[in-house]
């Protein structure tokens, strides 16, 4: 099995890094480039940048800061935010992004997944799924979740949507568990295991990391990568220390 990936997640709004709780009440935490350089130096394996208001605002991610980040770091990173067509994806990749992550635009038109996979290779196409457990016990996908006012139910069930997206060409899935987001009580292992069992591409888990043991639990369950934001942004967990902890638990990590 490939080495476990530690992936800081940077939510971006108005050109700044922000962090919320359960996808709401976002606070400004700093500059995009400053965070990218910090995580490069701390040993992050990859980065993910989400322009969280792009889709709700009907625009696309700004390639200006993608180019600035790419010029300064040498670790892979993915970008997301209102990428609705091949040309926009091409601009993001040309600016230096290694992967394109799509969420709401793929829900609007699933054929976008196949179009991007054909144009750039499925290894470049990441599907983000914002998943929530309903009162009826169903896991459903939320859309436009970067804005509390715009968030709505997509009408799709989480696992079925993941299976369809992989069939269309998604090469990786990021499972964002909304109910766990920012509360630091641990990743949703039940959702993670259900998704891993349903698809044959790498799955990255997001939402809920609060201590180092939560990362170990995710990797033990089969996650390819673990995404986290506030515990890294607020320096509650240091990436070098986390990697040493995981290695002691018998989990392979990159130096």
């Amino acid at each position: 099995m490939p080495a476990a990936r530690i992936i800081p997640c940077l939510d971006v709004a108005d050109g700044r890094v922000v962090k919320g709780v359960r996808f709401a009440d976002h606070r400004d935490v700093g500059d995009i480039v400053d965070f990218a350089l910090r995580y490069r130096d701390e040993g992050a394996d990859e980065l993910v940048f989400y322009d969280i208001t792009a889709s709700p605002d009907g625009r696309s991610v700004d390639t200006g800061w993608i180019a600035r980040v790419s010029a300064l770091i040498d670790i892979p990173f993915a970008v997301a935010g209102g990428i609705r067509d091949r040309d926009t994806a091409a601009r993001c990749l040309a600016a230096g992004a290694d992967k394109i992550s799509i969420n709401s635009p793929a829900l609007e038109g699933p054929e976008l997944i196949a179009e991007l996979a054909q144009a750039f290779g499925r290894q470049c196409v990441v599907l983000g799924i914002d998943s929530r457990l309903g009162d009826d016990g169903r896991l459903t996908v939320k859309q436009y979740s970067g804005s509390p006012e715009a968030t709505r139910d997509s009408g799709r069930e989480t696992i079925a949507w993941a299976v369809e997206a992989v069939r269309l060409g998604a090469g990786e899935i990021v499972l964002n568990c909304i109910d766990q987001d920012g509360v630091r009580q641990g990743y949703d292992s039940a959702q993670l295991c259900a998704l891993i069992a349903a698809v044959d591409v790498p799955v990255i888990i997001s939402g809920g990391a609060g201590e180092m043991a939560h990362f170990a639990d995710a990797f033990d369950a089969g996650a390819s990568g673990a995404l986290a934001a506030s515990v890294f942004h607020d320096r509650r967990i240091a990436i070098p220390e986390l990697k040493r902890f995981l290695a002691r638990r018998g989990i392979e990590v990159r130096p």
Side-chain angles (χ1 to χ4, degrees):
M1 183 175 179
R5 291 177 285 162
I6 305 299
I7 309 172
C9 170
L10 297 96
D11 290 343
V12 176
D14 300 321
R16 300 280 293 176
V17 178
V18 299
K19 185 67 190 83
V21 175
R22 292 175 175 150
F23 288 31
D25 301 321
H26 291 90
R27 58 188 169 93
D28 186 304
V29 295
D31 178 75
I32 298 172
V33 171
D34 289 346
F35 269 101
L37 291 172
R38 174 185 147 193
Y39 289 134
R40 176 203 64 184
D41 294 342
E42 290 181 0
D45 297 306
E46 297 181 18
L47 298 176
V48 174
F49 295 90
Y50 290 120
D51 188 330
I52 61 172
T53 59
S55 283
D57 290 349
R59 58 176 178 80
S60 182
V61 60
D62 177 8
T63 58
W65 61 257
I66 296 174
R68 293 199 305 275
V69 168
S70 176
L72 294 171
I73 68 173
D74 56 0
I75 58 175
F77 67 94
V79 298
I83 300 170
R84 291 184 170 83
D85 53 53
R86 181 190 181 282
D87 289 345
T88 303
R91 287 195 296 272
C92 292
L93 294 170
D98 297 275
K99 300 177 185 178
I100 295 299
S101 183
I102 53 177
N103 187 331
S104 292
L107 289 163
E108 295 167 2
E111 66 279 359
L112 175 64
I113 300 171
E115 181 182 358
L116 296 182
Q118 183 176 8
F120 309 113
R122 68 184 304 161
Q123 77 282 351
C124 287
V125 182
V126 182
L127 179 75
I129 299 179
D130 297 335
S131 179
R132 171 159 268 168
L133 183 63
D135 294 336
D136 58 0
R138 294 168 60 245
L139 291 172
T140 59
V141 182
K142 299 300 179 183
Q143 193 170 3
Y144 305 126
S145 52
S147 168
E149 297 78 17
T151 299
R152 69 188 192 198
D153 195 323
S154 70
R156 292 182 175 270
E157 293 192 3
T158 299
I159 303 302
W161 171 229
V163 170
E164 179 182 350
V166 170
R167 179 183 60 79
L168 288 168
E172 187 169 80
I173 293 176
V174 176
L175 176 64
N176 304 305
C177 301
I178 295 175
D179 294 317
Q180 274 67 38
D181 180 68
V183 299
R184 301 177 183 149
Q185 297 300 307
Y187 294 110
D188 189 325
S189 296
Q191 284 200 59
L192 172 62
C193 289
L195 183 53
I196 289 172
V199 299
D200 59 358
V201 299
V203 175
I204 298 169
I205 186 67
S206 175
E211 56 189 70
M212 289 188 284
H214 294 155
F215 289 85
D217 292 343
F219 293 126
D220 285 342
S224 174
L227 216 69
S230 60
V231 291
F232 294 146
H233 296 346
D234 298 338
R235 301 182 187 274
R236 293 172 177 266
I237 294 177
I239 293 175
E241 184 180 352
L242 172 59
K243 287 193 171 185
R244 288 191 290 269
F245 171 83
L246 294 172
R248 290 194 298 270
R249 290 276 296 259
I251 297 168
E252 183 182 354
V253 293
R254 295 183 178 97

